[in-house]
């Protein structure tokens, strides 16, 4: 899940059987050659947001890629990419491609978004910034499961299951979702939405742009895509920065369950903040009391939803999403305060209920379910939920709960991409110590898998996202120096707060 999508929430997986390895995921095939003609750059669609503070022009173009890389001359789909071109040819190094996370989040506006948030001019001088909607997303041959506003399935993280019966009920919802996705897949596109294919798309885009190599910045799920990309195409990836780490090239059941660990490690930061402001919000005078307030509120809403329909599951989801950035702490404190004092006027349901996004949810499901085999047995999830409810009481019974991947129509076409530790030392990993969705454990896992190819920068910070958005001077300087000058830290680094 991207940071921007989680911020909007205050309001992300199976199949058992033989994997047919037709195309080796680790090889990726030969790098795509240079395109005969470059993309035709024009004005972007009106829904591509360019903040008014961004003075650099943003253009868009389409790049054709095979729907099925096993049949490269067969059906083609179009991917839309965006560009903020370097205005300093004497300093230009090449292209820097972006992925903001998801999977399923639009990325056409990512370059302009980061420029508006303070992406250093050294980076904008050195690179053409390339955003994109990955296959299936937005303007890139979009897909749909047909989700509607009143669907019981409303988020890419399953709802918290307060008891065993809730897991069984969620299994029925998950099975219905999987069946509807299959029924709506009339063009047969869903099976081709995988991280491996998205990585192949990146190399096709590189070739279409006429570049021998391409650099990459990916955050959240973008870290998994970037890890797959540089593993499959080590010869054509240049400088790679991975931020807020999933832990591998895909999200699997273990990765999803780590969300609960992340919340256990990150909620104390909010609790300490709220305890210092007890006189204003009344959530507890100590962090321990604030934690108890959370559990009390969640359990009360499990038993009796609020007048506006808010349930314990949604309350937990809102709290989880609000931990993505400390800037959201005041809003979160007010939400808690409102439901802690039910005599006050309740918030309108539209302000707290999740807003389903059909396309984003569809792509999330397709990629996560297609990438790796998920347990099919409902009892596996029942045991996991019971275990994680005790291990991680804040959120464990949500992230361990069953998803539509348990009933997905398609088996993975190939094994997940294996991290390739043979290649240039070109992977810089950025990770906050406290991150609700991609905890530090994920950063350490990926660092170990890349071995000598990578360096890990651990930031003594809280939230989801380090580079530019995280506000840490040390991490900003290290990543910028690497992107601009190629200066990779000699070893793993730790950045203090500030």
């Amino acid at each position: 899940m991207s940071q921007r999508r989680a911020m909007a929430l205050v309001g992300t997986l199976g199949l058992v059987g033989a994997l047919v390895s037709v195309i080796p995921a680790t090889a990726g095939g030969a790098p795509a050659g240079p395109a005969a003609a470059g993309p035709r750059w024009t004005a972007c669609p009106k829904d591509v947001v360019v903040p008014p503070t961004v003075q650099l022009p943003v253009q868009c173009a389409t790049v054709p890629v095979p729907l099925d890389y096993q049949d490269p001359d067969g059906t083609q789909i179009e991917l839309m990419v965006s560009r903020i071109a370097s205005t300093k040819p004497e300093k230009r190094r090449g292209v820097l491609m972006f992925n903001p996370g998801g999977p399923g989040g639009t990325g056409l506006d990512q370059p302009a978004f980061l420029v508006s948030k303070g992406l250093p001019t050294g980076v904008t001088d050195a690179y053409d910034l390339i955003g994109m909607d990955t296959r299936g997303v937005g303007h890139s041959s979009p897909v749909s499961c047909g989700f509607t506003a009143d669907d019981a399935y409303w988020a890419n993280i399953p709802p918290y299951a307060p008891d065993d019966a809730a897991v069984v009920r969620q299994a029925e919802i998950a099975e219905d979702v999987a069946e509807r996705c299959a029924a709506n897949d009339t063009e047969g596109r869903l099976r081709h939405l995988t991280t491996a294919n998205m990585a192949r798309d990146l190399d096709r885009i590189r070739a279409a742009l006429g570049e021998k190599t391409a650099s990459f910045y990916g955050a959240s799920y973008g870290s998994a895509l970037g890890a797959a990309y540089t593993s499959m195409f080590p010869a054509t990836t240049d400088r790679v920065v991975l931020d807020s780490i999933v832990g591998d090239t895909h999200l699997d059941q273990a990765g999803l369950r780590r969300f609960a660990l992340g919340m256990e490690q990150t909620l104390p930061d909010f609790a300490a903040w709220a305890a210092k402001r007890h006189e204003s919000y009344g959530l507890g005078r100590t962090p321990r009391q604030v934690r108890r307030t959370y559990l009390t509120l969640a359990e009360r809403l499990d038993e009796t939803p609020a007048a506006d329909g808010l349930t314990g599951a949604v309350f937990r989801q809102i709290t989880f999403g609000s931990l993505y950035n400390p800037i959201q702490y005041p809003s979160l404190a007010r939400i808690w305060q409102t439901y802690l004092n039910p005599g006050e006027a309740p918030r309108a349901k539209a302000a707290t209920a999740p807003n389903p996004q059909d396309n984003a949810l569809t792509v999330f499901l397709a990629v996560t379910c297609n990438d790796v085999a998920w347990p099919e047995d409902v009892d596996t999830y029942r045991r996991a939920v019971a275990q994680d409810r005790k291990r991680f009481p804040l959120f464990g019974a949500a992230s361990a709960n069953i998803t539509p991947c348990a009933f997905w129509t398609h088996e993975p076409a190939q094994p997940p991409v294996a991290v390739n530790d043979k290649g240039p030392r070109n992977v810089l990993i950025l990770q906050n110590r406290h991150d609700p969705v991609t905890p530090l454990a994920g950063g350490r896992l990926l660092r170990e898998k890349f071995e000598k190819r990578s360096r890990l920068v651990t930031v003594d910070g809280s939230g989801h996202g380090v580079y530019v958005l995280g506000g840490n001077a040390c991490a900003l300087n290290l990543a910028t120096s690497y992107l601009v000058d190629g200066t990779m830290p000699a070893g793993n680094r730790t950045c203090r707060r500030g």
Side-chain angles (χ1 to χ4, degrees):
M1 185 189 293
S2 70
Q3 186 180 60
R4 283 182 291 163
R5 188 175 172 199
M7 293 173 73
L9 170 65
V10 180
T12 187
L13 271 161
L15 297 171
V16 176
L19 297 178
V20 182
S21 181
V22 179
I23 301 178
T26 54
R40 180 175 175 270
W41 297 102
T42 61
C44 291
K46 292 182 179 180
D47 60 351
V48 178
V49 178
V50 179
T53 55
V54 177
Q55 301 299 311
L56 301 171
V58 182
Q59 299 172 302
C60 285
T62 57
V63 175
V65 300
L67 173 64
D68 183 356
Y69 277 93
Q70 297 180 40
D71 183 17
D73 297 322
T75 301
Q76 305 290 298
I77 58 175
E78 287 194 334
L79 307 181
M80 182 169 285
V81 300
S82 64
R83 179 182 70 171
I84 296 179
S86 168
T87 60
K88 302 291 179 64
E90 71 280 4
K91 295 183 179 181
R92 184 184 182 278
R93 177 177 180 83
V95 297
L96 174 61
M97 298 190 288
F98 292 86
N99 185 273
T106 180
L108 287 171
D109 61 350
Q110 185 70 358
F113 172 73
L114 289 178
V115 168
S116 74
K117 295 300 181 182
L119 185 69
T121 57
V123 178
T124 57
D125 289 346
Y127 298 97
D128 292 351
L129 310 181
I130 307 298
M132 69 195 70
D133 281 351
T134 53
R135 60 170 53 207
V137 175
H139 294 279
S140 293
S141 304
V143 293
S144 169
C145 283
F147 294 118
T148 61
D150 58 354
D151 274 323
Y153 182 77
W154 44 263
N156 51 19
I157 304 169
Y160 188 94
D163 53 36
D164 185 70
V167 183
V168 177
R169 289 194 299 272
Q170 183 62 20
E172 295 175 355
I173 295 171
E175 184 173 17
D176 175 69
V177 167
E179 291 174 351
R180 278 194 292 154
C181 287
N184 277 276
D185 186 25
T186 57
E187 297 184 61
R189 292 182 178 181
L190 288 188
R191 68 166 66 240
H192 301 293
L193 268 64
T194 67
T195 298
N197 280 342
M198 289 178 178
R200 295 182 179 104
D201 292 343
L202 291 176
D203 202 57
R204 288 285 180 130
I205 293 169
R206 172 202 60 78
L209 296 174
E211 302 289 336
K212 292 183 178 179
T213 62
S215 295
F216 180 86
Y217 169 83
S220 195
Y221 165 76
S223 72
L225 176 57
Y229 177 41
T230 196
S231 292
M232 296 170 68
F233 301 98
T236 55
T237 47
D238 188 17
R239 297 169 182 171
V240 177
V241 178
L242 306 181
D243 187 339
S244 303
I245 310 302
V246 170
D248 211 320
T249 62
H250 57 279
L251 181 63
D252 57 12
Q253 187 187 24
L256 186 62
R257 290 175 73 176
R258 280 197 294 272
F259 290 13
L261 171 64
M263 187 162 179
E264 292 286 345
Q265 294 175 338
T266 309
L267 185 75
D269 295 328
F270 170 74
W273 179 94
K276 293 178 181 178
R277 296 160 177 81
H278 175 74
E279 299 304 321
S280 294
Y281 295 109
L283 303 181
R285 297 184 181 278
T286 67
R288 182 184 295 273
Q289 290 177 355
V290 175
R291 178 186 174 94
R292 188 179 304 124
T293 296
Y294 167 84
L295 293 171
T296 299
L297 267 172
E299 291 168 2
R300 179 194 301 168
L301 291 166
D302 283 336
E303 296 176 359
T304 307
D308 61 2
L310 186 86
T311 64
V314 177
F315 173 76
R316 290 179 174 92
Q317 199 90 5
I318 290 172
T319 300
F320 177 81
S322 298
L323 298 179
Y324 273 53
N325 194 315
I327 198 173
Q328 298 178 121
Y329 286 0
S331 296
L332 179 61
R334 177 172 171 78
I335 290 171
W336 283 29
Q337 188 179 38
T338 297
Y339 291 103
L340 190 62
N341 301 289
E344 297 180 7
R347 295 168 62 89
K349 185 174 182 179
T352 57
N355 180 19
Q357 301 180 44
D358 173 48
N359 179 234
L361 289 175
T362 300
V363 175
F364 179 90
L365 283 176
V367 174
T368 52
C369 298
N370 290 336
D371 271 356
V372 64
W374 286 72
E376 293 178 318
D377 182 9
V378 176
D379 287 343
T380 298
Y381 297 92
R382 294 170 68 183
R383 290 191 295 269
V385 167
Q387 181 183 42
D388 284 7
R389 190 186 294 115
K390 293 180 180 179
R391 290 199 305 160
F392 308 118
L394 298 176
F395 205 59
S399 59
N401 204 354
I402 193 167
T403 79
C405 290
F407 308 97
W408 200 245
T409 300
H410 306 296
E411 294 184 358
Q414 60 189 66
V417 177
V419 172
N420 181 2
D421 62 359
K422 310 297 182 186
R425 190 180 70 186
N426 66 337
V427 181
L428 183 63
I429 298 172
L430 309 177
Q431 180 65 57
N432 276 327
R433 190 173 298 280
H434 297 160
D435 183 323
V437 63
T438 55
L440 178 58
R444 288 173 172 167
L445 279 172
L446 195 62
R447 170 68 177 92
E448 292 173 2
K449 292 172 182 175
F450 270 119
E451 295 186 348
K452 295 180 180 179
R453 289 194 66 188
S454 68
R455 294 290 184 266
L456 171 63
V457 176
T458 302
V459 179
D460 187 18
S462 186
H464 190 51
V466 174
Y467 189 53
V468 180
L469 300 179
N472 183 273
C474 167
L476 176 72
N477 292 338
L478 287 171
T480 300
S481 293
Y482 174 54
L483 287 172
V484 176
D485 303 321
T487 304
M488 175 74 81
N492 295 336
R493 291 283 301 272
T494 298
C495 289
R496 298 180 178 178
R497 289 182 182 268

